[in-house]
Amino acid sequence: MNQNTKQTIEHVVEQIADNYSNEPLFSTKAGKNMPERKIIIDALRELRLVMFPGYFGEQDATRGLPKYFVGDRLLAIYKMLVEQIACAFAYNEDEKIFAQSMEGMPDECNRQRAEKICGEFFEQLPRIQKLLLKDVQAGFDGDPAAQSKEEIIFSYPGLFAIFVYRIAHELYIRQVPFVPRIMTEYAHGKTGIDIHSGAQIGESFFIDHGTGIVIGETTIIGNHVKLYQGVTLGGLSTRGGQDLSGVKRHPTIEDNVTIYSNASILGGDTVIGKNSVIGGNTFITSSVPENSRVSFQR
């Protein structure tokens, strides 16, 4: 390394170190750790084994002693999630305020809260599994290219994104920080499908192809809805920034609606009535009555 290069590196090191000192975002809060993305993703993978046994692990694992298989997996998942959720609460909460609401030290309070949430979440797993089976059936019924329901479980990115959403949503509605977003962004990166964990999605939901789909936080989707690639269920404008937090900004899609590729449906007051078909490349910012057919025409 020549002298000029060495001096350049030393200068850059000093500048970056100054940035670290001057910007709180570059330093985690004293005495606290953020949740670990790898562990959260590992928990998702384990949950996938439980939801769809034999597809992503040993095929004989559930045939002999299914209760042993499920119990062993759930214990491992419970330990992972409790630690990460407690960590998320500890990092996100004002400990002095939170400690006043529960007995014990803040760390103990956060763990108690995490254990309570995990208990509630685990109680929902049988229901989530039944919902996912309906999503699989919707995929098979809605796609003539599907050779079998097994193929959908193995290989359809839409089902994977829905699976992750349904898990993350249960944590979102229990106000767990960080963890639901980590989960859905993992699915986003794997599939190109961006479903916010706050969206409300009914049963028998099918995403065909899926790449480029965006479903915003306050979207409401009914039962038996089908989306194609590139669909956006978004907000009209986010210029209000944090002032819009908690406000219904995304559309409502009622039962039995099909939305074709690259359609954009925007706005919190926009409702697509049941049994409607929205054609590709349409841009919709106002409500559509039930039983409508909307298409883009040149």
Side-chain angles (χ1 to χ4, degrees), residues 162-195:
I162 294 167
F163 154 70
V164 174
Y165 154 77
R166 294 208 184 279
I167 295 298
H169 180 70
E170 294 299 322
L171 301 178
Y172 173 92
I173 62 177
R174 290 169 175 80
Q175 300 182 320
V176 176
F178 299 116
V179 177
R181 190 72 175 206
I182 291 170
M183 289 179 170
T184 54
E185 287 303 328
Y186 170 66
H188 184 193
K190 295 278 285 185
T191 66
I193 299 167
D194 185 359
I195 308 177

Side-chain angles (χ1 to χ4, degrees), residues 26-60:
F26 291 142
S27 300
T28 55
K29 297 177 183 178
K32 298 180 180 180
N33 294 317
M34 296 187 74
E36 294 188 37
R37 184 175 183 274
K38 181 182 182 302
I39 295 176
I40 292 166
I41 291 170
D42 286 344
L44 269 178
R45 289 171 175 160
E46 291 294 313
L47 280 164
R48 198 182 186 194
L49 293 176
V50 173
M51 294 293 102
F52 298 108
Y55 284 86
F56 305 101
E58 296 180 14
Q59 295 189 22
D60 294 332

Side-chain angles (χ1 to χ4, degrees), residues 88-101:
F89 280 131
Y91 193 86
N92 203 51
E93 295 278 355
D94 184 326
E95 290 186 357
K96 292 181 180 179
I97 294 174
F98 183 66
Q100 292 172 0
S101 65

Side-chain angles (χ1 to χ4, degrees), residues 87-274:
C87 189
F89 280 131
Y91 193 86
N92 203 51
E93 295 278 355
D94 184 326
E95 290 186 357
K96 292 181 180 179
I97 294 174
F98 183 66
Q100 292 172 0
S101 65
M102 296 182 71
E103 297 180 358
M105 298 298 292
D107 285 347
E108 295 173 0
C109 294
N110 286 313
R111 186 171 183 87
Q112 290 171 15
R113 191 177 180 188
E115 289 178 347
K116 180 177 182 295
I117 285 171
C118 279
E120 293 173 356
F121 168 67
F122 272 45
E123 287 178 349
Q124 299 303 314
L125 289 178
R127 180 184 62 83
I128 293 171
Q129 189 176 43
K130 290 178 180 179
L131 277 175
L132 290 168
L133 290 174
K134 290 182 178 181
D135 296 329
V136 171
Q137 186 67 52
F140 182 71
D141 292 341
D143 185 4
Q147 299 297 309
S148 65
K149 286 184 279 189
E150 289 85 350
E151 180 183 10
I152 292 169
I153 295 171
F154 268 128
S155 58
Y156 275 43
L159 182 68
F160 179 71
I162 294 167
F163 154 70
V164 174
Y165 154 77
R166 294 208 184 279
I167 295 298
H169 180 70
E170 294 299 322
L171 301 178
Y172 173 92
I173 62 177
R174 290 169 175 80
Q175 300 182 320
V176 176
F178 299 116
V179 177
R181 190 72 175 206
I182 291 170
M183 289 179 170
T184 54
E185 287 303 328
Y186 170 66
H188 184 193
K190 295 278 285 185
T191 66
I193 299 167
D194 185 359
I195 308 177
H196 195 287
S197 56
Q200 300 175 46
I201 301 177
E203 64 183 39
S204 299
F205 182 46
F206 178 42
I207 292 174
D208 201 353
H209 303 295
T211 303
I213 282 178
V214 176
I215 300 175
E217 179 185 23
T218 61
T219 303
I220 299 174
I221 297 176
N223 300 326
H224 302 282
V225 170
K226 182 177 182 179
L227 306 183
Y228 285 84
Q229 68 272 18
V231 167
T232 296
L233 305 179
L236 274 170
S237 173
T238 58
R239 291 182 180 179
Q242 288 298 316
D243 290 339
L244 296 174
S245 179
V247 175
K248 177 92 165 67
R249 329 183 278 288
H250 305 99
T252 295
I253 312 298
E254 294 186 342
D255 297 348
N256 302 305
V257 169
T258 297
I259 305 175
Y260 285 100
S261 58
N262 300 312
S264 293
I265 303 172
L266 310 179
D269 295 328
T270 303
V271 178
I272 305 300
K274 64 179 63 174

Side-chain angles (χ1 to χ4, degrees), residues 56-94:
F56 305 101
E58 296 180 14
Q59 295 189 22
D60 294 332
T62 61
R63 292 174 184 169
L65 298 168
K67 290 182 179 179
Y68 175 82
F69 169 80
V70 175
D72 182 59
R73 294 290 181 182
L74 290 186
L75 284 174
I77 295 164
Y78 180 85
K79 291 177 183 178
M80 286 189 278
L81 286 181
V82 163
E83 292 297 331
Q84 296 310 305
I85 292 172
C87 189
F89 280 131
Y91 193 86
N92 203 51
E93 295 278 355
D94 184 326

